Amino acid sequence: MLIWKPPAEVSPDVLMLGTSPYPVYLLKGKDSGVLVEGTIGAMGPLVAEQLEQFGVPRDYIARVLVTHAHPDHVMALPFFREIFPGAKFTASEAAAKTLQIEKAVGFFSKIDGMITESLVKNGVIQERHRPTVGAGPTIPVDETVTDGDTIDCGSFSLSVMATPGHSDCSTSFFDAERRILVSADVTPYYISEHDYWWPNYFTGYAAYIASMGRLAALGAEIVCLGHTATIRGADEARAFFEKGVAATRACHERIVAEVRAGKSPQEVGNAIADEVVAKLPPLLPLDFFQKNCALLVKQSLKDAGIEAN
Ligand SMILES: [Zn+2]
C-alpha cells in the first residue's frame, strides 16, 4: 500500500507528516520519538501544527535525523532546533561537513525561498507556513554517524547505512526489529499519478543501483521515502525496489543509446527534464530540472566510458 497523503498514521510506530512532495516522519518509541528529515523551511511550521493535531508534545522529540545535505532535506532544521530545544541533531559526517559550508547553505536558502513561494502560490501551504526561522550562515548538527553505527533511540535502535549515488552523503536508517526503513532518496522520485519514475543518481549510477540493492535486501515492511510516499507491506516494498531498479536501468540505457546514436548530452538531458516537469506540480523552474538531468546524463556516460564533448 502506498500512503501519499500526509498527515497519516502509517502504523502505530510511524507518523507521516509534512506534505506529499516533502514528507517528514516521526518514528515513535515508548517514551520518546525520532523525527526524520530536515525537509524544506515551510514544512517546519506545518509539522509543528500536525504534531499538535496528533497530540505529540514537543519534548517527546528526542532526536532529529538528517538523511542528506540537499536543500530540500535540511532547511527546516533551524526551526526544529527552536521548537525542539532538547533534541539531538544527527547527520552523516559528510552531510555535517556540507552544512558547515557557508556558500552551500546560502545556495540552499535561495532554493528554499523559491520553493516556499511556489507552494504558497499553488495553495499547497498557507501564508502562516512561511518559514519564520531562517538558516544562519551554517546549519550545525550535534552528532555525526557513519556506516555500521547503531543509534540508540531509547526503546528502539536504528542501523546507519551509507547509501551513496543520489548524493555522496546519503544515509539511510533501518529499525531491524520493527522492519522500518528510512530511505535517503535512494529510489527514483516516484510520481504515482502518472506511474512515472525519475531516477536521481546525481553522484553515481553504479553506486545508486548498489544502494537500492542493499536496501531492498533488508526486507523492510515500511519504507519511508524522502519524497511523495510511504510504502507499507513487505511485498509492496520489494516490488517498489524492483521497479525502481528497472526504471533506473531503463533511464541509463536510454541515455547511453541516445548519445551513441548522435544526440548531444544536453539534448538528452533536456528531454528527460521536459518529461519530468510535465508530470509535476509547478514548484521549481525548468532549468532546475535541466541541471539535475544533466547530472544523470553525466553519470550515465561516465559509467559507460563515453567521453562527453
Ligand atoms: Zn536529495
Side-chain angles (χ1 to χ4, degrees):
M1 182 188 192
L2 219 58
I3 297 155
W4 54 278
K5 274 194 176 161
E9 195 163 59
V10 176
S11 79
D13 302 319
V14 182
L15 282 185
M16 183 188 190
L17 306 169
T19 56
S20 173
Y22 304 107
V24 172
Y25 298 93
L26 176 63
L27 308 184
K28 291 156 83 180
K30 205 167 153 257
D31 305 309
S32 64
V34 173
L35 202 71
V36 185
E37 287 296 359
T39 186
I40 56 167
M43 289 305 103
L46 181 68
V47 166
E49 275 180 15
Q50 292 170 333
L51 286 173
E52 218 168 280
Q53 281 167 28
F54 281 96
V56 178
R58 289 183 178 182
D59 61 3
Y60 176 77
I61 310 297
R63 195 185 290 272
V64 177
L65 279 184
V66 179
T67 59
H68 62 299
H70 275 175
D72 51 338
H73 293 267
V74 297
M75 293 311 291
L77 294 174
F79 181 83
F80 288 158
R81 185 70 90 167
E82 274 213 3
I83 66 167
F84 310 127
K88 193 182 247 183
F89 285 59
T90 306
S92 71
E93 245 161 73
K97 219 180 246 176
T98 300
L99 296 176
Q100 284 304 315
I101 302 170
E102 294 189 13
K103 215 176 137 192
V105 173
F107 171 70
F108 289 2
S109 296
K110 213 177 109 190
I111 299 264
D112 194 58
M114 277 161 52
I115 297 174
T116 301
E117 291 313 318
S118 307
L119 290 174
V120 172
K121 204 175 116 197
N122 289 288
V124 181
I125 56 164
Q126 310 304 311
E127 282 291 337
R128 66 175 189 279
H129 299 124
R130 279 182 187 278
T132 49
V133 186
T138 64
I139 302 175
V141 299
D142 305 314
E143 173 194 54
T144 59
V145 288
T146 184
D147 188 77
D149 284 353
T150 301
I151 304 175
D152 179 1
C153 305
S155 61
F156 66 100
S157 60
L158 293 168
S159 320
V160 177
M161 284 171 298
T163 46
H166 171 69
S167 72
D168 290 336
C169 64
S170 289
T171 305
S172 301
F173 304 94
F174 186 50
D175 177 339
E177 210 179 296
R178 303 190 294 183
R179 323 298 302 163
I180 302 165
L181 173 64
V182 174
S183 162
D185 282 6
V186 178
T187 51
Y189 192 105
Y190 179 58
I191 307 166
S192 58
E193 304 93 293
H194 299 273
D195 195 28
Y196 185 85
W197 303 72
W198 179 33
N200 289 174
Y201 49 91
F202 300 146
T203 61
Y205 169 69
Y208 188 76
I209 292 277
S211 290
M212 250 190 285
R214 191 175 176 198
L215 295 192
L218 294 170
E221 281 165 20
I222 292 174
V223 185
C224 303
L225 298 174
H227 299 286
T228 71
T230 310
I231 303 150
R232 200 176 64 193
D235 292 344
E236 285 90 339
R238 194 176 318 112
F240 190 85
F241 280 113
E242 271 168 22
K243 284 185 192 162
V245 169
T248 304
R249 289 218 165 100
C251 177
H252 168 72
E253 280 157 19
R254 165 190 174 182
I255 290 169
V256 172
E258 289 187 358
V259 171
R260 280 199 173 125
K263 278 193 188 169
S264 77
Q266 196 186 0
E267 210 180 334
V268 175
N270 287 352
I272 299 172
D274 284 340
E275 286 172 24
V276 176
V277 165
K279 290 172 179 68
L280 282 176
L283 288 182
L284 285 162
L286 177 63
D287 82 305
F288 172 87
F289 294 94
Q290 289 177 336
K291 278 180 194 153
N292 282 322
C293 289
L295 292 174
L296 294 184
V297 175
K298 182 183 155 193
Q299 294 303 336
S300 277
L301 297 187
K302 193 172 158 195
D303 185 83
I306 299 172
E307 205 131 330
N309 42 19

